[in-house]
Amino acid sequence: MKSYQKTLHLMTVAQVNTALHKLGADFKIKHLSDLVFLETKTGENTIDQGFVAKGNHLYAITAHYRDLQEPTNFDRGQLFVSQKTTASPVALDQLNGTWIAAATTTSANDTGKLMVKDGFMYQKRYDSIERSAIQDLAKYTLVTLNQNTIYAAQKRDAAQAGYQLTPKSIASADSIGYLYLFMNDHELLRIGSGQATSYQKTDSLVAAADLSQTDQTIFEQLDQQKPGESASTITVKAGPAVVGMSDSINYLTDATAGQISNNIVIGNVQKGHVTIASESTH
């Protein structure tokens, strides 16, 4: 209605900058187009705010105001501060040890215990030991990470849980889709479906009952014997150990990670040498 339009005023650049200053901003805008305005897809109501961000601060500025017969106050803007927690830099060799999630209910699929040794993460699931690579994302280019759909999905999931997966993170993932984000050398977070579970490093060593030297030898030897492949699982049921080979165990950046392409039946392990009994390719 024209009568309504006459009482409606768009905020000026000077008024926006005054509002930003009151909210503690250390910058000014030059044009109203410096603000981001959101378009609604449903309903007739519009969002009467323009947004501008700097660092971890988001400023929401009221876009317009009305003349009223009686003097009134109106909210010129709001300040939002990101509370996402970032990880501290940590070296891979500082992560070795046993990690426990005290809040986890132990099951065959989730023991609440992780073992870290020399850049790999191990965990027991059912009759298997699963191995995944711990990845230093700083070794990847920004272009590579930004174009990676697996990394993007994990980044969104971390953000939903209130944490940041960044190109400087040390992290891993697994066959279920969980993200494991190392916050420092004594705490890591398992993130999935927007929920975070905290693990604490309880020992700098890995007990043989959790990861035997034989198992470690099998993983290492088959990596060497099968160039271009990685031993991803060791499964022991009634018979000899069966090793699942995969093209990749970089679960954080590779969509094919952990897919078993070859099963290897172990004959024996003597003096650090692994003998293969048989192989079956998928």
Side-chain angles (χ1 to χ4, degrees):
M1 295 181 297
K2 290 185 178 181
S3 59
Y4 177 84
Q5 292 174 359
K6 290 180 180 179
T7 66
L8 193 64
H9 304 279
L10 190 66
M11 290 270 278
T12 65
V13 170
Q15 288 172 320
V16 170
N17 284 330
T18 298
L20 287 171
H21 178 74
K22 290 288 186 180
L23 292 171
D26 60 356
F27 64 92
K28 295 181 178 181
I29 67 167
K30 295 182 179 180
H31 311 280
L32 290 180
S33 57
D34 292 339
L35 301 175
V36 174
F37 294 92
L38 304 181
E39 178 185 2
T40 56
K41 293 295 185 180
T42 59
E44 297 180 356
N45 293 329
T46 60
I47 299 174
D48 63 343
Q49 288 180 312
F51 299 89
V52 61
K54 184 178 181 182
N56 66 335
H57 289 68
L58 175 67
Y59 302 88
I61 305 299
T62 301
H64 53 71
Y65 61 94
R66 286 188 61 198
D67 290 334
L68 298 174
Q69 293 181 351
E70 298 294 332
T72 185
N73 294 324
F74 74 94
D75 186 359
R76 287 199 178 196
Q78 296 171 286
L79 170 63
F80 299 89
V81 181
S82 170
Q83 297 298 321
K84 291 178 183 176
T85 305
T86 57
S88 302
V90 60
L92 285 176
D93 59 3
Q94 295 178 328
L95 303 178
N96 286 352
T98 302
W99 299 71
I100 301 291
T104 299
T105 301
T106 301
S107 67
N109 186 48
D110 185 6
T111 64
K113 180 185 291 187
L114 301 173
M115 289 73 71
V116 174
K117 187 73 181 293
D118 300 334
F120 297 99
M121 185 179 73
Y122 303 83
Q123 57 185 310
K124 291 184 177 180
R125 286 204 168 112
Y126 301 106
D127 300 315
S128 301
I129 297 177
E130 179 181 296
R131 181 175 73 147
S132 58
I134 298 172
Q135 297 176 248
D136 181 357
L137 296 181
K139 295 183 178 180
Y140 296 80
T141 66
L142 284 175
V143 172
T144 299
L145 287 177
N146 289 336
Q147 293 178 346
N148 189 291
T149 57
I150 306 299
Y151 170 77
Q154 292 286 17
K155 187 175 181 179
R156 287 193 300 270
D157 210 16
Q160 288 179 353
Y163 298 92
Q164 286 185 312
L165 178 65
T166 74
K168 296 181 180 180
S169 295
I170 304 293
S172 186
D174 66 12
S175 60
I176 293 180
Y178 284 124
L179 166 68
Y180 297 85
L181 180 60
F182 288 88
M183 304 304 293
N184 46 54
D185 62 358
H186 59 272
E187 181 183 12
L188 76 83
L189 295 172
R190 185 186 72 185
I191 300 173
S193 301
Q195 301 295 318
T197 300
S198 177
Y199 284 72
Q200 303 291 324
K201 187 164 74 170
T202 59
D203 199 320
S204 59
L205 300 176
V206 174
D210 295 322
L211 182 67
S212 69
Q213 184 57 54
T214 297
D215 289 333
Q216 293 180 54
T217 300
I218 290 174
F219 278 119
E220 293 169 2
Q221 285 275 313
L222 289 187
D223 281 353
Q224 296 171 7
Q225 293 183 30
K226 301 292 181 179
E229 296 182 75
S230 296
S232 59
T233 60
I234 298 177
T235 303
V236 179
K237 294 185 178 179
V242 178
V243 180
M245 302 297 294
S246 304
D247 291 338
S248 170
I249 53 175
N250 292 330
Y251 288 91
L252 194 55
T253 54
D254 194 336
T256 66
Q259 294 182 12
I260 305 299
S261 57
N262 190 13
N263 279 323
I264 297 178
V265 179
I266 302 300
N268 57 58
V269 181
Q270 291 183 343
K271 296 181 179 180
H273 181 73
V274 177
T275 300
I276 297 174
S278 64
E279 298 184 42
S280 61
T281 303
H282 286 203

